[in-house]
Amino acid sequence: MNIAFLSSLNPTDIHNWSGTLYYMYHHLEKNYRLTWTGRQQLEEAIQFHRENFGEDTPFSPEKYARLFGKMLTDLFHYECYDLIICRDYFFLAYLTTEIPVIYIGDTTCRLFNQYLKITDSPRLDLAEELEERAIQKATHIVYASEWAKNSAINHYHAAPEKISVIEFGANIDNIPEYTGHDCTSACNLLFIGKNWEMKGGNKAIDVFRSVKQKGIPCTLTIIGSTPAPMPKDADIVVYPYIDKSSAEGQKLFEQILRQSHYLIAPTLFDCFGIVYCEASAYGIPVLTTDVGGISQAVRNGHNGFLFAADAPASDYADKIIDLYTHKDRYANLGRECRKHFETCLNWNVWEKRMNDLLVSIKEREEGTYIPVYAINMKEREERRKHIVREFEGKPEFEFHLVEACTHSKGTIGLWNSIVKVIKMAKEQEEDVIVICEDDHFFTENYSPGLLFKEIREAYMQGAELLSGGIGGFGQAIPVGYHRYWVDWFWSTQFIVIYSSAFDTILSYEFQEDDTADGVLSEIIYNKMVIYPFISEQKDFGYSDVTLGNMEYPGKIREFFKRANARFKMIRTIQDLSVPKY
């Protein structure tokens, strides 16, 4: 599938959103063709704002939601995607598209504003309006917690069946081997957080001191922020910043986690908490507050313990000491932490659940398929295996392998095979079919949404033939953003034939010096091609049809290279007269 990843933040930058977007994007990239969308729209809105209101006036993307809606609506009209994954409510609120949209996040505007305590009524009202519009517009919503899901249902009237809860994963590249922790030396506490006050840094220090006062040797490592004032204690080590995107930073981070026994996180607010996933990967129990969406990541008694927001530091210390002095119980809890990571809190699990969801949404939205007749000579086993592989895992096609008609002249054999397929289609009363040769392969431009959109729109324009890609042509006239009328074409490796052309093809008397693509070019006037090509021909080093292609290996690929270059030039000229969005 071809997916637009609609985000104001760059998903390829690991520093954005604590790396969460980065890991989402790269795990989706394993299975789909992803395109980051939204950057240009945001930059143009910022530029407009600066030119009209000056540098000193703060830019608020919410105020440009209607503009974003218009720009993105136009964009998705021209650029065809199978799905859109959207992170920002101001992008989605006024977007109008038939493409399914998955709205993804870890909180709602209502929940976030409850923590921020925003008192600016106009600003809050606008944010609430955009959030509700985005939730209602979305085809499906994915949150990281039940906490966020319940807010969408209770505050924004979202249908429960259109919301899925899929936990985020640990933002680490190298999954550690679980070996347990040595509990014979000092008890090593760990605190991670950029916002010292909000993340409860002072209470973490109080927990550390309470453990020490009760006679347990203890250390505290602080990552991400600097206490003010800095405690004068040799057992407290501070790393104001560790860059996990660097090899050195990642190594240091891993070393600290391997030596830590507890993650202390008495935070005032958290939507989910990636750091809890990371701690669980190392078998480190988490002691944190039961606020926000934390209970989705930290299951009480499984991979940590949840405390009331006003619980004193001594409660944390008592739990630490109780477990630390009972080695077996601590070891069992460490194993439970790792198990919870392996079953819920890692990006591979997120990837699988998202894949299942995206496929089900796309299948539910389309609910259609097109019959494909792939022509193959039975002795060409290599080509048969190739063409079968091309259609594996593509439920949008009903695949039929058709034994080719043989003839001493390959061109006649191919035409007879096409006639054979047309007769089969007429018997099945098909309205539209794909005829495919066994050297066809899908390019990176292929997507089901693009193909079905072009088939529908070409039909509305009276097309009788639509090609997925051609190796040569005469004149090409744009009749759609991805569709061109051509006067003649070479190559028949992937052609959509409409029923209106069936009798025309069957009634033609094929001559010895004819070629299939030449005849189809002559007898069918309204013929079109999709560009960028979704199909091209694989060069097997020989041809079943054209003798010239056998004498010059690589000639087929050269034809497509030239055709692509010509279309690229035509497309460049076309884009000069087409709006950007």
Side-chain angles (χ1 to χ4, degrees):
M1 282 192 283
N2 193 11
I3 297 177
F5 197 94
L6 184 54
S7 169
S8 58
L9 296 176
N10 182 355
T12 66
D13 185 345
I14 199 170
H15 299 96
N16 285 331
W17 200 19
S18 302
T20 301
L21 277 183
Y22 174 89
Y23 284 93
M24 278 185 186
Y25 193 85
H26 285 283
H27 275 267
L28 289 170
E29 241 183 352
K30 294 178 184 179
N31 303 287
Y32 307 106
R33 185 186 179 201
L34 249 61
T35 303
W36 172 33
T37 308
R39 174 181 180 178
Q40 184 173 348
Q41 290 75 17
L42 182 67
E43 288 179 348
E44 292 197 6
I46 292 173
Q47 181 65 26
F48 174 85
H49 180 82
R50 288 174 177 170
E51 291 175 354
N52 289 272
F53 301 100
E55 296 279 351
D56 296 332
T57 305
F59 172 78
S60 173
E62 286 83 358
K63 294 181 179 180
Y64 291 88
R66 290 180 183 272
L67 175 62
F68 290 137
K70 174 63 170 67
M71 297 164 82
L72 292 166
T73 295
D74 290 346
L75 172 70
F76 293 129
H77 174 73
Y78 290 111
E79 293 292 346
C80 187
Y81 293 94
D82 297 297
L83 291 170
I84 301 168
I85 294 177
C86 180
R87 176 189 174 273
D88 300 298
Y89 63 167
F90 49 79
F91 278 156
L92 179 55
Y94 289 95
L95 171 63
T96 301
T97 180
E98 295 180 356
I99 305 170
V101 181
I102 293 83
Y103 184 35
I104 193 164
D106 60 358
T107 188
T108 66
C109 179
R110 174 69 62 89
L111 294 175
F112 201 60
N113 286 335
Q114 284 176 351
Y115 165 68
L116 294 176
K117 296 182 173 58
I118 294 176
T119 57
D120 183 348
S121 182
R123 178 185 173 191
L124 181 59
D125 290 346
L126 176 59
E128 284 284 288
E129 177 193 349
L130 297 180
E131 181 74 288
E132 182 156 13
R133 288 184 65 90
I135 286 173
Q136 296 302 322
K137 279 283 185 76
T139 307
H140 201 84
I141 305 169
V142 177
Y143 289 122
S145 69
E146 293 288 339
W147 170 73
K149 174 182 177 179
N150 291 335
S151 175
I153 295 170
N154 297 329
H155 298 147
Y156 300 101
H157 317 295
E161 61 272 14
K162 84 172 201 176
I163 305 178
S164 297
V165 174
I166 305 178
E167 294 91 345
F168 296 156
N171 292 347
I172 50 180
D173 291 322
N174 302 315
I175 306 301
E177 180 182 354
Y178 179 65
T179 57
H181 295 273
D182 177 16
C183 296
T184 60
S185 58
C187 177
N188 300 319
L189 307 183
L190 175 63
F191 172 87
I192 302 176
K194 291 182 180 180
N195 188 323
W196 180 254
E197 296 294 334
M198 190 268 282
K199 293 296 183 181
N202 289 326
K203 183 179 281 190
I205 290 180
D206 290 341
V207 172
F208 158 75
R209 287 171 174 164
S210 182
V211 173
K212 286 187 74 174
Q213 288 169 1
K214 295 183 180 185
I216 302 296
C218 187
T219 70
L220 173 63
T221 301
I222 297 170
I223 298 176
S225 53
T226 302
M230 176 68 73
K232 296 180 179 179
D233 193 316
D235 290 324
I236 296 179
V237 179
V238 177
Y239 295 93
Y241 176 71
I242 295 178
D243 185 1
K244 292 195 296 179
S245 65
S246 70
E248 297 79 7
Q250 184 67 37
K251 183 178 180 180
L252 176 59
F253 185 76
E254 291 175 357
Q255 180 183 347
I256 293 172
L257 264 67
R258 288 189 185 280
Q259 296 172 350
S260 299
H261 295 104
Y262 296 95
L263 175 67
I264 310 303
T267 182
L268 300 178
F269 179 80
D270 229 328
C271 298
F272 179 75
I274 296 296
V275 67
Y276 311 132
C277 306
E278 295 170 343
S280 294
Y282 285 84
I284 303 172
V286 180
L287 279 73
T288 186
T289 44
D290 190 5
V291 296
I294 293 176
S295 61
Q296 194 75 36
V298 180
R299 302 297 174 88
N300 201 38
H302 288 274
N303 62 326
F305 297 93
L306 300 170
F307 295 83
D310 58 355
S314 58
D315 287 0
Y316 287 74
D318 289 343
K319 178 63 69 175
I320 290 169
I321 294 170
D322 179 51
L323 283 170
Y324 199 72
T325 54
H326 293 84
K327 311 301 183 187
D328 290 343
R329 287 170 56 191
Y330 178 84
N332 288 335
L333 183 61
R335 286 190 286 270
E336 281 294 315
C337 291
R338 176 63 181 214
K339 181 180 178 181
H340 193 48
F341 163 76
E342 292 175 347
T343 56
C344 294
L345 304 179
N346 72 80
W347 286 111
N348 289 330
V349 173
W350 183 90
E351 175 189 325
K352 182 182 184 306
R353 294 183 63 191
M354 278 295 293
N355 286 344
D356 292 343
L357 175 65
L358 297 181
V359 169
S360 67
I361 290 173
K362 189 56 186 170
E363 288 179 348
R364 184 168 66 246
E365 287 292 321
E366 284 190 343
T368 58
Y369 61 86
I370 185 170
V372 172
Y373 296 87
I375 300 169
N376 169 255
M377 296 176 67
K378 62 181 180 180
E379 63 268 25
R380 304 295 195 190
E381 184 176 352
E382 177 189 11
R383 296 170 71 120
R384 181 168 64 254
K385 290 179 179 179
H386 162 78
I387 197 62
V388 170
R389 283 195 302 269
E390 284 298 306
F391 287 93
E392 285 179 349
K394 291 183 171 62
E396 63 269 25
F397 297 107
E398 182 185 60
F399 183 75
H400 305 277
L401 193 63
V402 178
E403 185 175 339
C405 299
T406 57
H407 194 278
S408 58
K409 194 170 179 59
T411 53
I412 297 176
L414 175 59
W415 182 259
N416 290 342
S417 298
I418 292 174
V419 169
K420 176 181 178 179
V421 168
I422 296 297
K423 289 179 178 179
M424 294 170 65
K426 286 199 69 171
E427 290 175 2
Q428 296 297 318
E429 298 182 343
E430 304 284 12
D431 293 321
V432 59
I433 63 171
V434 171
I435 297 180
C436 190
E437 293 187 62
D438 56 10
D439 56 358
H440 144 81
F441 72 88
F442 288 108
T443 71
E444 64 175 9
N445 303 308
Y446 171 74
S447 74
L450 174 60
L451 176 61
F452 280 100
K453 177 177 181 291
E454 298 308 317
I455 288 176
R456 288 193 300 268
E457 293 185 2
Y459 172 77
M460 293 173 64
Q461 292 176 324
E464 295 178 288
L465 182 150
L466 176 66
S467 174
I470 52 180
F473 62 98
Q475 301 296 321
I477 300 173
V479 290
Y481 193 65
H482 292 281
R483 195 171 58 261
Y484 296 77
W485 178 90
V486 290
D487 56 351
W488 60 263
F489 66 93
W490 289 338
S491 307
T492 54
Q493 83 286 345
F494 187 99
I495 51 176
V496 177
I497 303 289
Y498 296 88
S499 58
S500 58
F502 288 175
D503 289 337
T504 302
I505 293 171
L506 293 178
S507 64
Y508 183 80
E509 295 185 9
F510 197 82
Q511 305 299 310
E512 189 168 322
D513 58 349
D514 282 338
T515 61
D517 41 18
V519 167
L520 292 173
S521 294
E522 181 180 342
I523 66 176
I524 295 177
Y525 172 76
N526 205 348
K527 47 197 174 292
M528 301 178 185
V529 62
I530 298 171
Y531 178 79
F533 298 155
I534 62 169
S535 165
E536 292 190 14
Q537 283 181 266
K538 177 179 172 63
D539 191 346
F540 283 92
Y542 62 88
S543 171
D544 290 335
V545 179
T546 308
L547 292 175
N549 291 342
M550 296 177 65
E551 298 171 0
Y552 301 102
K555 191 173 182 179
I556 291 174
R557 301 304 308 139
E558 184 62 29
F559 286 155
F560 277 90
K561 182 179 179 180
R562 292 176 182 174
N564 269 294
R566 287 191 63 198
F567 265 114
K568 184 177 181 180
M569 180 180 65
I570 295 171
R571 180 65 172 270
T572 300
I573 297 172
Q574 178 189 3
D575 285 344
L576 295 176
S577 59
V578 174
K580 291 182 180 179
Y581 307 106

